[in-house]
């Protein structure tokens, strides 16, 4: 499904994927570049620009609407101490690394915006992070893409087998239940 999305929409899919937590789309785009659907340098450039823009949006969202967002999304509040600890240890590298930390790709910039980091500082280090992130993830897709497609295919086959087995179990359970209730009547 993601393969079709990337193949059909190309660089627009890369941009949309990078705006949100786009590792999966970017991995597939790297594989697509390997197959010749896309050009690797353009995938990296589009991903880095879109990821930077997306994080800037979330940073300013946190800066302007932070308390309201904490009230509306309690999960953000649970992540705030983690981001504050990262910022206390070394703000520039916390900004760069937040995109690599699971669960903080979108929440991180919101929380950094709430923490009072200067906008210029976030813009610079966020862009550096995107320029590191985009070629790494795209490169992983380039190198390991074929294996990912095979793994996804096997997982899909496994899901189909599990679905069929679950269906059989449900039918047998229903037949046994029905048989028992008929015996009670």
């Amino acid at each position: 499904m993601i393969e079709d999305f990337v193949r059909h929409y190309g660089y627009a899919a890369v941009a949309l994927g990078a705006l949100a937590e786009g590792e999966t789309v970017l991995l597939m785009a790297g594989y697509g570049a390997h197959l010749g659907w896309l050009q690797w340098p353009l995938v990296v450039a589009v991903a880095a620009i879109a990821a930077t823009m997306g994080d800037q949006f979330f940073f300013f969202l946190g800066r302007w609407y932070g308390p309201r967002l904490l009230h509306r999304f309690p999960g953000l509040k649970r992540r705030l101490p983690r981001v504050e600890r990262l910022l206390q240890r070394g703000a520039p590298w916390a900004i760069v690394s937040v995109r690599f930390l699971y669960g903080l790709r979108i929440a991180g910039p919101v929380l950094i915006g709430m923490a009072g980091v200067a906008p210029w500082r976030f813009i610079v280090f966020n862009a550096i992070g995107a320029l590191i992130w985009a070629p790494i993830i795209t490169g992983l897709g380039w190198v390991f893409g074929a294996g990912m497609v095979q793994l996804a295919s096997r997982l899909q086959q496994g899901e189909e087998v599990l679905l069929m087995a679950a269906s059989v179990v449900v039918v047998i359970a229903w037949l046994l239940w029905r048989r028992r209730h008929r015996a009670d009547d």
Side-chain angles (χ1 to χ4, degrees):
M1 186 140 101
I2 293 174
E3 180 180 352
D4 293 335
F5 179 63
V6 171
R7 183 181 260 170
H8 188 334
Y9 295 104
Y11 301 107
V14 172
L16 287 172
L19 283 169
E21 296 193 30
E23 283 80 7
T24 307
V25 171
L26 197 52
L27 286 166
M28 186 53 68
Y31 178 59
H34 179 80
L35 295 176
W37 310 336
L38 304 167
Q39 294 179 16
W40 192 85
L42 284 175
V43 171
V44 170
V46 168
I49 291 167
T52 300
M53 290 172 43
D55 286 356
Q56 290 306 133
F57 170 78
F58 291 116
F59 171 82
F60 284 109
L61 196 65
R63 189 169 184 86
W64 296 328
Y65 301 105
R68 286 188 231 161
L69 291 171
L70 283 181
H71 180 70
R72 182 164 173 101
F73 301 102
L76 277 177
K77 197 171 198 169
R78 288 192 310 267
R79 292 182 177 114
L80 184 58
R82 184 175 178 193
V83 170
E84 287 175 335
R85 281 192 307 273
L86 285 170
L87 290 171
Q88 289 170 355
R89 288 188 211 150
W93 298 112
I95 295 168
V96 169
S97 66
V98 78
R99 81 176 50 256
F100 293 95
L101 301 174
Y102 180 76
L104 289 179
R105 177 70 166 71
I106 292 174
V110 170
L111 297 171
I112 292 170
M114 291 174 54
V117 171
W120 70 266
R121 183 177 212 131
F122 184 78
I123 289 168
V124 168
F125 290 103
N126 178 45
I128 291 170
L131 289 170
I132 295 169
W133 172 81
I136 288 173
I137 304 300
T138 304
L140 289 171
W142 176 283
V143 172
F144 297 110
M148 290 185 315
V149 169
Q150 289 176 353
L151 178 63
S153 174
R154 288 185 181 156
L155 289 174
Q156 184 176 1
Q157 289 171 351
E159 287 175 355
E160 290 168 0
V161 168
L162 285 174
L163 182 60
M164 288 181 0
S167 299
V168 169
V169 169
V170 168
V171 168
I172 291 171
W174 179 77
L175 289 171
L176 291 173
W177 176 83
R178 188 171 169 203
R179 183 177 175 191
R180 185 189 319 142
H181 283 290
R182 280 191 176 174
D184 292 340
D185 291 339

